[in-house]
Amino acid sequence: MAILVDRALEDEDEDDTGRSWRGRVSARQRRETAVGWAFMLPDAIGLMIFVVLPIIVALAVAFFSIDGFGQARFVGLDNFVRMGSDPLLVNSLAVTLIYAGCYVPLVFVAGLALALLVQRPFPGIGIVRTLFFLPNVMSLVVIAILWQFMLTDKTGFVPRGLSTVGLGDISWLGNPTYALAAIIMISVWFQAGYQMLLFLGGLGDIPNEYHDAAKLDGAGWWQRLFWITLPLLKPTSFFIAVTSIIGAVTGMQAFDLVFVLTKGGPANSTMTMPFYIYQQAFSYNDYGYAAALTTLLVGVLVLAVGVTFAATKGARFHAE
Amino acid sequence: MLSDIATPGPAARGRTRRERDGSHEYGRRWGWRAGVGYALAAITALPILWLLITALKPASETFSMSLGPWTLDNFSYVLTRIPMPRYLLNSAIVSIAVTFIALVFHSMAAYALARLRFRGSALMFNLIVATLMVSLPVILVPLFLIVRAMGLIDNLWGIIVPGIFNAFGIFLLRQNFLGIPRELEEAATIDGCGYWGRYWHVVLPLGRPILVSLGILFFLANWNAFMWPKTILSTQELWMVQQGLASMQGQYGSDWNYITAAAMIIALPTMIMFFFGQRALVNSIKTSGLK
């Protein structure tokens, strides 16, 4: 995201018309302002009502108790105080942190490994790349249905396959120890091809001359990976890390997969924050508490992205 | 296939030229890369293939490891005995409406942001960038309250209208329109085109590739959407495909032959769109934010 923001700001600097507004405003400029807003208007209104207003309402609703009929009552900080004595919240916060903490590094490494594997051509490479990406065009519901079928206890494809090595009795989705691991692996399988495409874009921008020069100096594959490829990939890596964190913490994948596969169980072991918030809002009609939980979740997200940003200095240190 | 698109940039082009000279077509030691690639691609695709095979087998064979015999009974059951055609129609209406309206609105906004100098444009652009990170689960509860207040709950308009507005689309188009040479617009001005004429006759035709890419992305996102339709649609006649599929879990709990057939029917349009629109789709993903 920082890459986006910075580039946007540079664009603003380039055409420094902003200052002229403070001076004499010509008729042409007035006309252009009117036309500009006319072009912007449908999206400006829509974004205000359906994106900006919800953010404001979310913050406001967190201080109210709202029942199923829409009757609101101001309760101050009650919804936040209640968080302190909610063991399910602690649980789902932990689930989300474990999910993100495992998913983000795994999908990062998987995506990068796939990209390095298919970066240079071999016979049939187009089909191989296409197949890697294929899961990503299907919906999360289809993906979840697919894996629920594949993982069916004892008779499913995976337990049957694993029974040949004596692991056929594992209940992947029915055992609290394995259910979250299964959802993490399914998420990685779903998203790795997408990250591969982003990495391929980044790899394509690294000039071959760097690798050629390093080879002349006798650098091996691993040395070139760590001293040339990875440092030059930093902007791409940062983008992928941040978008994967957002996907894991507040993305659809943390809801759709859980909803179809486990409904948060067994024993709440897959109760991610988005799923818990959905339950509070739409199973118990407790919109106020759900809104308060959402602000907490956004806080977690901002913290995680902030830590990533600080740890990588916004992916800029390669340029120093 | 993805072969010709996925290795762009000057570096890649340089290598291709060298390869055409003939010395080593695939580089040295391509054998093991190909081997690992085939194996991983097979592992990735196997579950999807198994889903298709299961959908084609009679119920008695659902959990056997056999590859046949094949029948289309499951598909005909899903298309006739459950309201699948209705779900497909609802999803098609919503996806096409959102895609079309969003492309018109976003291209207009992007044109204004990329080309017109007007008071408030920087503010709008910053607002759009700031909302790029906002995903549906974050605004789900307030959005539900707002849409309910508008009386659009249990109504397809409640899916379509909020679905249109998407900061990512505006951002991507704006970045793309910045690359359109100003000279072309100046030429159009000399020919007597106003703002609307330049948008309609210059920017839209030149922006066609990115509009197609974005159109595919929008269609897929709406076709695959589950959380929002699930949240606001309760009347079964209005359900969309993902909701319909998820609901089969309870009703047809162990009839996996029907569920897998329904899953394949629902996935088919997305796969067709992917295979035919691959180049466009891949380009839009790769340009999302990085270029």
Side-chain angles (χ1 to χ4, degrees):
Chain A
M1 284 308 149
I3 310 162
L4 308 180
V5 178
D6 291 339
R7 189 153 305 167
L9 291 177
E10 279 159 26
D11 288 342
E12 300 308 325
D13 293 342
E14 274 162 27
D15 55 26
D16 52 350
T17 48
R19 242 160 280 140
S20 67
W21 289 109
R22 262 163 240 145
R24 208 164 47 83
V25 180
S26 71
R28 187 177 172 277
Q29 282 168 327
R30 261 201 302 273
R31 180 166 151 69
E32 193 145 317
T33 293
V35 173
W37 276 106
F39 272 95
M40 272 301 319
L41 205 60
D43 264 348
I45 294 173
L47 284 175
M48 282 300 166
I49 297 176
F50 296 109
V51 181
V52 177
L53 183 62
I55 296 171
I56 298 166
V57 170
L59 289 172
V61 168
F63 297 97
F64 284 85
S65 167
I66 300 177
D67 63 26
F69 304 102
Q71 296 299 315
R73 189 168 52 85
F74 183 77
V75 293
L77 289 171
D78 278 9
N79 287 323
F80 293 94
V81 173
R82 185 176 149 195
M83 288 181 194
S85 55
D86 181 356
L88 274 178
L89 166 63
V90 178
N91 170 71
S92 60
L93 207 50
V95 170
T96 279
L97 289 178
I98 294 169
Y99 176 74
C102 296
Y103 164 79
V104 173
L106 281 174
V107 83
F108 186 95
V109 171
L112 180 60
L114 291 182
L116 289 170
L117 186 70
V118 299
Q119 187 199 1
R120 299 174 57 204
F122 54 76
I125 189 154
I127 296 169
V128 170
R129 283 174 179 162
T130 300
L131 290 178
F132 284 157
F133 187 73
L134 189 58
N136 206 261
V137 298
M138 299 197 296
S139 75
L140 283 158
V141 175
V142 169
I143 295 297
I145 291 277
L146 159 65
W147 281 102
Q148 194 173 41
F149 174 64
M150 297 289 284
L151 294 173
T152 305
D153 288 354
K154 301 226 195 309
T155 50
F157 190 95
V158 173
R160 281 200 181 205
L162 287 176
S163 68
T164 55
V165 289
L167 294 170
D169 288 333
I170 294 175
S171 173
W172 289 99
L173 297 171
N175 183 324
T177 320
Y178 300 117
L180 186 57
I183 288 181
I184 291 167
M185 294 313 293
I186 294 167
S187 307
V188 172
W189 175 81
F190 175 69
Q191 288 284 13
Y194 180 83
Q195 316 294 4
M196 171 194 82
L197 277 188
L198 292 174
F199 272 124
L200 277 175
L203 287 171
D205 289 340
I206 299 176
N208 252 12
E209 287 72 18
Y210 291 4
H211 282 284
D212 292 342
K215 273 188 215 166
L216 280 181
D217 291 342
W221 190 86
W222 287 103
Q223 279 173 308
R224 277 182 284 130
L225 176 68
F226 280 104
W227 295 102
I228 296 174
T229 309
L230 288 182
L232 289 173
L233 263 185
K234 260 166 200 161
T236 310
S237 304
F238 177 74
F239 180 79
I240 288 174
V242 170
T243 49
S244 318
I245 291 172
I246 296 173
V249 177
T250 60
M252 302 291 190
Q253 65 193 56
F255 174 82
D256 290 4
L257 288 178
V258 171
F259 185 95
V260 178
L261 282 166
T262 60
K263 298 271 192 300
N268 297 321
S269 62
T270 58
M271 181 82 77
T272 58
M273 281 291 286
F275 190 80
Y276 184 55
I277 291 169
Y278 182 88
Q279 268 200 338
Q280 287 297 329
F282 299 107
S283 301
Y284 309 123
N285 286 330
D286 202 341
Y287 303 116
Y289 190 50
L293 289 173
T294 307
T295 58
L296 175 72
L297 185 63
V298 171
V300 170
L301 177 66
V302 170
L303 194 68
V305 171
V307 167
T308 312
F309 196 87
T312 59
K313 296 173 195 146
R316 299 195 143 221
F317 49 106
H318 69 283
E320 283 162 19
Chain B
M1 296 293 137
L2 295 181
S3 55
D4 46 343
I5 334 153
T7 21
R13 255 179 270 128
R15 197 187 58 232
T16 321
R17 212 176 303 126
R18 215 173 355 169
E19 279 158 14
R20 270 194 224 108
D21 294 344
S23 49
H24 37 69
E25 195 184 352
Y26 297 121
R28 284 186 301 125
R29 289 177 299 173
W30 58 268
W32 74 266
R33 279 189 297 119
V36 176
Y38 299 153
L40 286 175
I43 292 172
T44 309
L46 185 67
I48 300 167
L49 191 65
W50 193 248
L51 189 76
L52 176 64
I53 290 172
T54 307
L56 286 168
K57 291 195 293 186
S60 57
E61 298 293 316
T62 298
F63 282 104
S64 84
M65 298 302 250
S66 72
L67 296 175
W70 287 7
T71 164
L72 289 174
D73 288 355
N74 301 324
F75 289 93
S76 65
Y77 183 96
V78 167
L79 288 172
T80 54
R81 307 294 276 282
I82 64 171
M84 183 55 72
R86 182 82 228 181
Y87 304 154
L88 290 167
L89 181 69
N90 291 337
S91 275
I93 290 171
V94 167
S95 305
I96 291 169
V98 171
T99 303
F100 182 76
I101 302 171
L103 286 182
V104 173
F105 284 4
H106 295 353
S107 61
M108 284 169 56
Y111 170 68
L113 289 171
R115 277 294 184 263
L116 304 179
R117 296 170 174 178
F118 61 102
R119 192 188 288 264
S121 70
L123 177 77
M124 278 310 296
F125 183 71
N126 289 334
L127 185 88
I128 286 162
V129 171
T131 52
L132 278 174
M133 281 172 72
V134 177
S135 59
L136 176 64
V138 168
I139 54 170
L140 184 72
V141 174
L143 189 63
F144 173 80
L145 296 174
I146 290 167
V147 171
R148 189 170 70 175
M150 297 169 89
L152 293 178
I153 292 298
D154 209 18
N155 184 328
L156 284 185
W157 286 109
I159 309 281
I160 295 172
V161 176
I164 294 167
F165 304 101
N166 166 296
F168 168 74
I170 309 172
F171 179 80
L172 198 64
L173 286 176
R174 184 256 189 194
Q175 300 302 88
N176 193 272
F177 289 172
L178 283 175
I180 294 175
R182 273 178 197 275
E183 290 74 18
L184 291 172
E185 280 181 73
E186 282 156 17
T189 313
I190 294 167
D191 290 343
C193 279
Y195 293 107
W196 182 261
R198 294 204 293 266
Y199 159 75
W200 193 257
H201 295 296
V202 179
V203 174
L204 279 192
L206 288 171
R208 231 181 78 122
I210 190 73
L211 289 168
V212 170
S213 312
L214 206 56
I216 294 174
L217 274 186
F218 284 161
F219 183 90
L220 288 179
N222 285 284
W223 186 270
N224 289 341
F226 171 63
M227 192 186 208
W228 184 242
K230 164 87 194 149
T231 304
I232 75 162
L233 299 178
S234 50
T235 307
Q236 197 173 357
E237 256 90 84
L238 296 175
W239 284 2
M240 293 169 65
V241 284
Q242 309 301 334
Q243 203 179 350
L245 175 62
S247 77
M248 284 182 73
Q249 261 190 319
Q251 226 178 327
Y252 294 86
S254 53
D255 295 337
W256 280 105
N257 52 321
Y258 298 142
I259 298 178
T260 51
M264 283 315 301
I265 291 171
I266 288 167
L268 194 66
T270 62
M271 288 198 212
I272 291 173
M273 195 155 263
F274 171 54
F275 283 115
F276 285 102
Q278 241 184 72
R279 180 184 298 264
L281 186 67
V282 167
N283 281 342
S284 69
I285 290 170
K286 281 165 66 176
T287 50
S288 60
L290 286 168
K291 310 226 162 155

